[in-house]
Amino acid sequence: MNTLIFRTVAPYLTALMVLFSVFVLLRGHNEPGGGFIGGLIAASALAIYGIAYGVQAVRRAIVVHPLSIAGAGLLMACLSGLLSALFGVPFMTGLWVYPELFGVEVPLATVMSFDVGVYLVVVGAITSIALALEERDHD
């Protein structure tokens, strides 16, 4: 299914899906969504791009190896949980800070950094699997 229409639409569809995955990631605390679902949507976007243009195009687009993305996400998620232990509260307890940026108080939480870590783990792992399967399919 590598038609001219598909190759023309794939970059726009990929960009739209990645944008939607970030939206789902960010709204995941108050409504359905979060890091896991957002990561699946982003990995699906990269898979569509890979079907249209090939594995090497996806590897050039994401710059780093997908397992490095997953490893960074795992580290971020673990550090989010361990940070609470350093403050003497139970593991995975949400901690909040309120820095002021440009005169506006911005609430930041370890819960969000955990969700971003999960997002990166899912994107990296699923993309790595999809690229490996696609490479094997063309050998």
Side-chain angles (χ1 to χ4, degrees), residues 36-135:
F36 186 77
I37 301 301
L40 287 177
I41 294 169
S44 299
L46 292 173
I48 288 172
Y49 193 77
I51 291 168
Y53 289 99
V55 172
Q56 292 307 318
V58 175
R59 291 196 188 279
R60 282 191 305 271
I62 60 175
V63 181
V64 297
H65 195 279
L67 289 180
S68 297
I69 296 171
L74 185 60
L75 180 66
M76 186 176 196
C78 289
L79 289 177
S80 296
L82 290 174
L83 194 59
S84 60
L86 294 176
F87 285 94
V89 293
F91 180 68
M92 295 296 286
T93 299
L95 301 174
W96 294 83
V97 294
Y98 300 93
E100 193 169 303
L101 298 173
F102 305 110
V104 178
E105 191 175 77
V106 180
L108 298 175
T110 57
V111 178
M112 188 65 205
S113 63
F114 177 79
D115 245 359
V116 171
V118 170
Y119 178 88
L120 293 174
V121 167
V122 172
V123 168
I126 300 298
T127 301
S128 180
I129 291 168
L131 293 178
L133 289 173
E134 184 69 21
E135 282 176 338

